[in-house]
Amino acid sequence: MEKITSKYEAIFVVDGSLAEEAAAELIAKFKGIIEANATVEEVQDWGKKKLAYPINDIADGYYTLVHFTSAHDFPAELERNFNITDGILRALVVKVGE
């Protein structure tokens, strides 16, 4: 039986106080996790931007937006990984459409 899939988008903000190489490694790690478990449609690296308000005294962050299609159980696992990873300031995964 074929798994039911839906379209999602994930946006995550990596700690701007990290060294640029460390931030790039963390972004690549999550891109890899998504690519391994879903079909990636588009990735937008927005780069380092000032946060609307400081989070834990951090004023800047590296923003990344990923559009992907996956089975319904993967987004919850992805959010769990975002929440337990040091260096991720904020992350949000939402279902798009329907």
Side-chain angles (χ1 to χ4, degrees), residues 3-4 13 15 31 35 37 53 60 76 83 85 90 97:
K3 282 190 173 184
I4 299 172
V13 183
D15 185 344
K31 284 181 188 176
E35 289 171 354
N37 294 286
Y53 55 89
D60 299 313
N83 290 333
T85 303
R90 292 286 189 269

Side-chain angles (χ1 to χ4, degrees), residues 24-76:
E25 285 178 16
L26 196 53
I27 291 168
K29 171 189 171 184
F30 278 100
K31 284 181 188 176
I33 290 171
I34 295 170
E35 289 171 354
N37 294 286
T39 304
V40 175
E41 296 168 8
E42 181 181 12
V43 177
Q44 296 178 11
D45 287 316
W46 294 350
K48 190 173 185 178
K49 298 193 176 292
K50 186 163 183 62
L51 301 173
Y53 55 89
I55 300 171
N56 300 330
D57 296 326
I58 298 168
D60 299 313
Y62 296 93
Y63 286 75
T64 304
L65 174 68
V66 182
H67 294 270
F68 62 94
T69 303
S70 76
H72 292 286
D73 56 344
F74 174 65

